[in-house]
Amino acid sequence: EGALLKGILVGNRSDFTDKMTEEFSESGLSHLVAVSGSHVVILLMGIVFCCKKLRISSFVTNVIGIFAVIFFVLMTGG
């Protein structure tokens, strides 16, 4: 389960066994562990939501979002 969670959250599939990789491919679920634009959108939606609740200006929210995306890209290996 740990390898799957790491794969879903940050796209790191290094702990996947060959059998896991094969089973995901055969079942058509390999897209679940791929880091995609939807992951970035979910991250940004969370940031915008929190910033609005904290009444942070849109400029500061955008700056936070930019740094969050850069950090996310670095964390997931681009």
Side-chain angles (χ1 to χ4, degrees), residues 63-78:
V63 171
I64 292 170
I66 289 168
F67 282 109
V69 170
I70 291 170
F71 177 73
F72 185 75
V73 168
L74 293 174
M75 187 174 73
T76 59

Side-chain angles (χ1 to χ4, degrees), residues 3-71:
L4 177 59
L5 183 60
K6 195 158 83 170
I8 291 172
L9 292 178
V10 294
N12 184 343
R13 294 179 275 181
S14 62
D15 293 337
F16 278 25
T17 64
D18 291 337
K19 183 179 179 189
M20 284 177 68
T21 304
E22 182 181 326
E23 288 174 349
F24 272 107
S25 181
E26 288 176 0
S27 65
L29 295 175
S30 56
H31 66 280
L32 291 177
V33 293
V35 175
S36 64
S38 63
H39 290 96
V40 175
V41 170
I42 292 169
L43 173 70
L44 290 175
M45 285 175 50
I47 289 170
V48 169
F49 177 79
C50 291
C51 287
K52 282 188 178 189
K53 288 291 184 184
L54 296 172
R55 297 180 184 208
I56 297 174
S57 74
S58 62
F59 176 77
V60 174
T61 299
N62 290 337
V63 171
I64 292 170
I66 289 168
F67 282 109
V69 170
I70 291 170
F71 177 73

